[in-house]
């Protein structure tokens, strides 16, 4: 086996962990061999294979087929291991529980693995703080690089000491760090030095950026005194498992809708951590969640806001039922372009963004939307999985990320329209707490939405298209008239909104959406006709988003509103909404669906909770961004929608830093469920559902 | 691996063979042995559960998840496919589908076992190096 001395040396994390054994001596060169791995799996075949593979990588391996045993092993040898690899499904203890324990008690990096590659599970891994997730069968290549997690963790430990950042106490920290990293640093090993310096840099000052130099560190140390690390420059925060867990806990505590960086920051109470850090981390998190397609409850409003804004750019979507979704986008906070980007990002690609200022001409857009549909499948893929679960509902529920709207849109598109339940149905479904699956299942699988005007289809009128308003298409024939619903939906029903948008006529209370009154709303009636069909289609495509329950939408409601307005035929809206919601629900969250729908149902006004990541992108489209799209129309509602759309765009977060800021500003507006929609003009009651 | 194995074992199996070396010359056979022993246990459990007639789909799915996991680890592709089907039926709550598919699972499993036994036998005869060469 491994040479014990080797093991030891590695134990120090490649020489960089000052806390561990002596800093790198000769070990560094051997790194990563000797890495001490604890592997836990109840499957003896897998265990044997893993052991063999790890040994081949020159790691030091300890096998364990019971989680409890693994924990006691770890507890008895606090520093005896460098990394843990654990299976997810184990008889005596859930792998995630083990993961949490290890993270809390020993703070070791944990890699989860499973034959289960469903996004929801992977997402769970992430939210519980796993540093990686391997899908079985595990290959050698995957194992060869696990040492990176050890190094990364060490570094992050240094940078955010005790989770409390205390960045401000730079001088002090630096000293501490220096001492800690002393041996390693002075060791002179490259790895150690690198780690140490970077850690020091980061820890002390967030100045990180380069790991190199000790001297840099020293320099910084000197200056630290007067620096307010957090404000000075973008500090580089390393999100350790603990920190991330705190973050997740805070987000959960706040609730998806309310999770804004400021509050998260407060809850986390980590000195030295800035709002920007949290914000950018939140972005990533949302994107991740979206990507996973899981229901991310955590997604806060931000997502929503993003989404809304972004919808606008979804040209195709914008045509949602003839609304000027695009207008929405335009009006929305997000500039069409950004929306487009966001959408694209959110969608993962389909770049719906095509036209930033897409005119409402839904007809045209719709076409594009359809094209999106095909492209969107991407999202749908993720979403598709969810589809089975609660297609639409999910969307709304889970996908907090901004992408939701878009995704929804995408999803919807992808999802065969058949699923489009009428918004009302969806809403009803949501209300009932069932997943939107609607009779037709909005999201059924990602089938591209080619449905055309007939999208109205299956949407069950009773179902409220969760989609937030995409109403339109699907099913709700009557709902389409709902126009107002779409609008109204927004504010009132987040969840239902999606459905409501379009036509929730029936159940959607939203029907009373003031939409018609919406000033900008050019009355769907007008729009509808030609658009409606398209819209519907669009919706349907968007429905991919599945979960009409847009909690997300609620935020995004704006989107819906706009949309709903657009379609004169409620149906359109419905379909749209459904599509959106569907998309979302399906994509995002199968799990969320339940939650979302319920939520959505309950509170249309809610800011969409978690717009399924997948959905989001679509959403945008559909909505045209609730925010951006309907520029003309409901500015207000749009705005809200825009937010959600913006949120959808979260995914893209790379660009989103800016968006983030923009959206964050809006956040105030956003996602709150009823309040968000600022539909002044509309009175939800009016909408005859 | 030869024609006889085609379709039954996928690249994963080859990965395992690559882990074999002079120090661990019988690694693959050891793994296979362990697999068949463990999977026989699982098959038994599932059989019993099915015979009872009370279709506890969750539990069945759980067993099958484990079974599928190990089958995947050794690269038993056909077995894996059948396992997936079985789980689908479980998810749908389709008892009849489960029963039917499970027969397939067992069948593929038995076939694989025979083939592998034969394979290892040949390998032993040919000698370790030969085995490695042959598997490539």
């Amino acid at each position: 086996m491994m040479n014990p001395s080797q093991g030891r040396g590695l134990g120090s994390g490649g020489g960089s962990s000052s806390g561990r054994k002596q800093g790198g001596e000769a070990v560094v060169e051997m790194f990563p061999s000797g890495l001490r791995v604890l592997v836990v799996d109840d499957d003896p075949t897998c265990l044997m294979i893993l052991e063999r593979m790890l040994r081949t990588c020159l790691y030091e391996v300890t096998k364990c087929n019971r989680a409890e045993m693994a924990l006691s092993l770890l507890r008895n040898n606090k520093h005896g291991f460098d990394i843990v690899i654990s299976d997810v499904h184990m008889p005596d203890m859930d792998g995630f529980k083990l993961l949490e324990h290890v993270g809390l008690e020993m703070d070791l990096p944990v890699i989860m693995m499973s034959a289960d590659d469903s996004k929801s599970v992977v997402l769970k891994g992430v939210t519980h703080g796993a540093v990686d997730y391997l899908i079985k069968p595990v290959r050698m290549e995957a194992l060869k690089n696990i040492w990176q997690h050890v190094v990364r963790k060490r570094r992050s430990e240094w940078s955010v000491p005790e989770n409390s950042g205390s960045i401000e106490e730079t001088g002090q920290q630096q000293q501490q760090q220096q001492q800690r990293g002393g041996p390693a640093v002075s060791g002179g090993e490259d790895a150690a030095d690198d780690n140490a310096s970077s850690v020091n840099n980061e820890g002390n000052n967030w100045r990180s950026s380069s790991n190199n130099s000790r001297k840099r560190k020293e320099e910084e140390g000197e200056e630290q005194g007067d620096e307010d690390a957090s404000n000075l420059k973008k500090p580089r925060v390393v999100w350790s498992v603990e920190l991330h867990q705190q973050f997740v806990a805070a987000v959960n505590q706040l609730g998806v809708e309310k999770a804004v960086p400021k509050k998260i920051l407060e809850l986390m109470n980590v000195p030295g951590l800035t709002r920007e850090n949290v914000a950018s981390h939140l972005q990533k998190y949302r994107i991740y969640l979206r990507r996973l397609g899981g229901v991310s409850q955590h997604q806060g409003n931000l997502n929503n806001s993003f989404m809304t804004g972004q919808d606008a750019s979804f040209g195709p979507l914008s045509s949602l039922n003839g609304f000027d979704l695009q207008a929405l986008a335009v009006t929305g906070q997000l500039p069409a372009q950004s929306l487009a980007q966001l959408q694209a990002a959110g969608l993962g690609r389909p770049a719906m963004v095509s036209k930033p200022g897409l005119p409402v001409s839904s007809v045209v857009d719709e076409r594009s939307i359809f094209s999106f549909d095909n492209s969107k499948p991407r999202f749908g893929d993720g979403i598709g999985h969810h589809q089975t679960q609660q297609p639409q509902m999910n969307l709304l529920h889970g996908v907090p990320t901004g992408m939701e709207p878009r995704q929804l849109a995408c999803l919807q598109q992808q999802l065969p329209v058949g699923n489009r339940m009428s918004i009302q149905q969806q809403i009803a479904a949501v209300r009932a707490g069932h997943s939107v699956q609607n009779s037709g299942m909005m999201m059924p699988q990602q089938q591209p939405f080619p449905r055309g005007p007939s999208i109205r289809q299956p949407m069950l009128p009773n179902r409220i298209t969760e989609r937030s308003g995409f109403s339109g298409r699907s099913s709700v024939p009557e709902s389409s008239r709902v126009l107002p619903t779409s609008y109204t939906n927004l504010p009132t029903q987040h969840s239902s909104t999606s459905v409501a948008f379009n036509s929730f006529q029936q159940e959607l209370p939203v029907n009373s959406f003031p939409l018609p009154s919406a000033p900008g709303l050019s009355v769907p009636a007008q729009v509808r006709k030609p658009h409606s069909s398209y819209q519907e289609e669009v919706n349907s495509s968007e429905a991919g988003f599945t979960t009409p329950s847009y909690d997300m939408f609620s935020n995004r409601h704006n989107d819906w509103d706009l949309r709903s307005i657009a379609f004169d035929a409620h149906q359109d809206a419905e379909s749209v909404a459904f599509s959106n919601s569907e998309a979302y629900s399906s994509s995002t969250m199968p799990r969320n669906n339940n939650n979302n729908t319920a939520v959505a149902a309950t509170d249309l006004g809610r800011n969409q909770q978690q717009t399924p990541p997948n959905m989001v992108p679509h959403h945008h489209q559909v909505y045209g961004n609730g925010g951006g799209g309907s520029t003309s129309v409901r500015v207000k509602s749009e705005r809200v929608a825009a937010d959600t759309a913006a949120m959808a765009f979260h995914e893209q977060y790379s660009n989103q830093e800016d968006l983030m800021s923009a959206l964050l500003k809006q956040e105030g507006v956003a996602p709150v469920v009823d309040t968000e929609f600022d539909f002044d003009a509309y009175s939800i009651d009016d909408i005859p559902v | 691996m030869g024609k006889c194995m085609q379709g039954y074992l996928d690249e994963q199996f080859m990965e395992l063979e690559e882990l074999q070396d002079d120090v661990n010359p019988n690694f693959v056979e050891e793994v296979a042995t362990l697999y068949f022993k463990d999977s026989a246990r699982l098959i038994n459990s599932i059989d019993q559960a099915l015979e009872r007639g009370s279709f506890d789909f969750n539990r069945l799915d759980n067993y099958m998840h484990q079974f599928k996991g190990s089958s995947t680890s050794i690269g038993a592709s056909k077995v894996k496919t059948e396992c997936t089907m079985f789980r689908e039926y479980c998810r749908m709550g389709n008892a009849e589908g489960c029963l039917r598919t499970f027969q397939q699972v067992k069948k593929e499993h038995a076939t694989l076992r025979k083939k592998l036994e034969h394979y290892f036998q040949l390998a032993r005869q040919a000698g370790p190096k030969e085995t490695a060469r042959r598997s490539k």
Side-chain angles (χ1 to χ4, degrees), chain A residues 7 65 127 200 204 221 247 328 340 344 375 429 438 461 490 541 565 588 625 653 667 686:
Chain A
N65 65 352
T127 56
N200 278 331
N204 289 331
F247 168 82
L328 286 176
S375 53
N438 325 358
L490 298 175
S541 38
I565 299 183
T588 49
N625 292 318
Y653 69 99
E667 269 183 67
D686 298 337

Side-chain angles (χ1 to χ4, degrees), chain A residues 205-316:
Chain A
N205 231 2
W206 296 101
R207 286 221 223 189
S208 61
S209 26
S210 42
N211 301 320
N212 16 330
S213 23
R214 252 185 297 134
K215 115 176 138 125
R216 191 141 174 274
K217 175 178 43 140
E218 289 160 4
E219 290 169 355
E220 291 180 356
E222 290 159 8
E223 301 165 2
Q224 283 177 359
D226 42 3
E227 271 185 325
D228 179 351
S230 49
N231 298 335
L232 284 187
K233 14 191 121 201
K234 271 203 186 168
R236 253 193 62 196
V237 180
V238 179
W239 285 84
S240 65
V241 171
E242 275 174 18
L243 198 58
H244 177 72
Q245 278 174 355
Q246 278 185 293
F247 168 82
V248 171
V251 171
N252 284 341
Q253 195 176 321
L254 289 170
V256 172
E257 300 171 16
K258 301 234 180 250
V260 296
K262 216 173 301 170
K263 295 204 184 135
I264 297 174
L265 186 63
E266 284 165 29
L267 271 182
M268 285 177 71
N269 195 25
V270 171
L273 195 62
T274 71
R275 198 192 68 83
E276 284 78 26
N277 300 138
V278 175
S280 71
H281 190 71
L282 183 64
Q283 258 181 2
K284 294 179 192 166
Y285 185 61
R286 292 216 172 108
I287 291 179
Y288 175 89
L289 291 176
R290 238 182 287 147
R291 215 171 275 130
L292 291 185
V295 176
S296 40
Q297 321 267 348
H298 313 303
Q299 298 178 0
N301 301 327
L302 277 184
N303 293 331
N304 296 332
S305 50
F306 275 106
M307 301 222 7
T308 47
Q310 313 207 344
D311 292 343
S313 44
F314 294 103

Side-chain angles (χ1 to χ4, degrees), chain A residues 2-311:
Chain A
M2 292 274 92
N3 183 337
S5 57
Q6 280 182 1
R8 277 281 141 283
L10 283 187
S12 31
S16 55
S17 50
S18 49
R20 288 207 150 230
K21 339 307 181 139
Q22 327 54 68
E25 298 121 15
V27 175
V28 174
E29 293 90 49
M30 316 264 256
F31 187 81
S33 30
L35 196 73
R36 295 159 312 159
V37 185
L38 174 65
V39 62
V40 190
D41 193 339
D42 64 315
D43 181 344
T45 311
C46 284
L47 208 54
M48 183 180 207
I49 296 174
L50 280 170
E51 185 194 32
R52 181 87 199 90
M53 285 183 171
L54 290 164
R55 294 251 158 90
T56 306
C57 294
L58 301 182
Y59 295 151
E60 198 180 292
V61 186
T62 306
K63 280 191 302 189
C64 202
N65 65 352
R66 281 283 176 267
E68 287 293 352
M69 189 186 355
L71 264 183
S72 62
L73 258 179
L74 287 165
R75 285 175 184 140
N76 296 332
N77 300 276
K78 274 287 171 150
H79 299 290
F81 296 97
D82 297 309
I83 189 168
V84 179
I85 302 181
S86 171
D87 188 44
V88 167
H89 293 92
M90 290 191 288
D92 63 335
M93 187 195 290
D94 181 24
F96 293 115
K97 264 246 169 53
L98 176 65
L99 163 60
E100 282 178 3
H101 277 295
V102 175
L104 291 170
E105 299 178 33
M106 296 109 205
D107 196 25
L108 285 177
V110 182
I111 295 178
M112 299 306 293
M113 62 176 173
S114 177
D116 189 356
D117 65 347
S118 64
K119 299 195 168 54
S120 54
V121 185
V122 178
L123 175 57
K124 225 177 153 189
V126 172
T127 56
H128 285 75
V131 298
D132 205 347
Y133 190 102
L134 305 178
I135 309 287
K136 289 181 176 175
V138 179
R139 298 286 172 95
M140 272 279 283
E141 302 85 65
L143 294 176
K144 271 201 198 115
N145 292 317
I146 61 173
W147 59 268
Q148 63 174 293
H149 301 296
V150 177
V151 174
R152 197 177 286 122
K153 190 153 186 58
R154 295 274 164 66
R155 291 187 40 182
S156 74
E157 276 168 2
W158 287 343
S159 56
V160 186
E162 297 136 26
N163 252 348
S164 41
S166 300
I167 306 296
E168 288 88 351
E169 306 156 6
T170 51
Q172 204 177 336
Q173 284 219 323
Q174 177 151 35
Q175 272 170 17
Q176 288 171 1
Q177 289 184 355
Q178 276 172 352
Q179 281 159 12
R180 274 201 305 174
V185 170
S186 45
E189 275 90 351
D190 294 339
D193 200 2
D194 224 29
N195 290 332
S197 3
S198 55
V199 168
N200 278 331
N201 290 347
E202 289 170 359
N204 289 331
N205 231 2
W206 296 101
R207 286 221 223 189
S208 61
S209 26
S210 42
N211 301 320
N212 16 330
S213 23
R214 252 185 297 134
K215 115 176 138 125
R216 191 141 174 274
K217 175 178 43 140
E218 289 160 4
E219 290 169 355
E220 291 180 356
E222 290 159 8
E223 301 165 2
Q224 283 177 359
D226 42 3
E227 271 185 325
D228 179 351
S230 49
N231 298 335
L232 284 187
K233 14 191 121 201
K234 271 203 186 168
R236 253 193 62 196
V237 180
V238 179
W239 285 84
S240 65
V241 171
E242 275 174 18
L243 198 58
H244 177 72
Q245 278 174 355
Q246 278 185 293
F247 168 82
V248 171
V251 171
N252 284 341
Q253 195 176 321
L254 289 170
V256 172
E257 300 171 16
K258 301 234 180 250
V260 296
K262 216 173 301 170
K263 295 204 184 135
I264 297 174
L265 186 63
E266 284 165 29
L267 271 182
M268 285 177 71
N269 195 25
V270 171
L273 195 62
T274 71
R275 198 192 68 83
E276 284 78 26
N277 300 138
V278 175
S280 71
H281 190 71
L282 183 64
Q283 258 181 2
K284 294 179 192 166
Y285 185 61
R286 292 216 172 108
I287 291 179
Y288 175 89
L289 291 176
R290 238 182 287 147
R291 215 171 275 130
L292 291 185
V295 176
S296 40
Q297 321 267 348
H298 313 303
Q299 298 178 0
N301 301 327
L302 277 184
N303 293 331
N304 296 332
S305 50
F306 275 106
M307 301 222 7
T308 47
Q310 313 207 344
D311 292 343

Side-chain angles (χ1 to χ4, degrees), chain A residues 43 46 49 52 89 137 139, chain B residues 12 19 21 24 65 70 72-73:
Chain A
D43 181 344
C46 284
I49 296 174
R52 181 87 199 90
H89 293 92
R139 298 286 172 95
Chain B
Q12 178 63 15
L19 290 172
D21 56 18
N24 305 271
H65 175 86
S70 18
T72 306
S73 297

Side-chain angles (χ1 to χ4, degrees), chain A residues 336-392:
Chain A
Q337 261 111 15
S338 9
L339 283 175
Q341 286 175 346
L342 289 173
Q343 290 182 345
L347 294 179
R349 308 342 103 174
M352 313 217 324
V353 196
S354 56
K355 342 178 194 195
L358 295 179
V360 191
S361 53
S362 42
V363 179
V364 177
D365 297 323
E366 289 175 353
R367 304 273 183 224
S368 41
I369 298 183
F370 290 108
S371 45
F372 276 107
D373 293 331
N374 299 322
S375 53
K376 295 230 200 99
R378 258 176 284 168
F379 287 97
D381 293 335
I383 304 181
H385 301 305
H386 303 296
Q387 291 173 348
T388 43
Q389 304 167 11
Q390 302 184 351
Q392 281 91 22

Side-chain angles (χ1 to χ4, degrees), chain A residues 550-593:
Chain A
Y550 288 107
D551 293 326
M552 309 195 309
F553 285 106
S554 36
N555 294 329
R556 308 235 206 193
H557 290 310
N558 299 321
D559 298 332
W560 294 327
D561 289 340
L562 295 178
R563 286 202 248 242
S564 45
I565 299 183
F567 25 84
D568 45 342
H570 303 295
Q571 299 185 344
D572 298 336
E574 286 181 334
S575 45
V576 173
F578 285 112
S579 40
N580 294 331
S581 44
E582 288 179 339
Y584 288 97
S585 46
S586 53
S587 54
T588 49
M589 336 200 231
R591 296 199 262 216
N592 290 334
N593 283 335

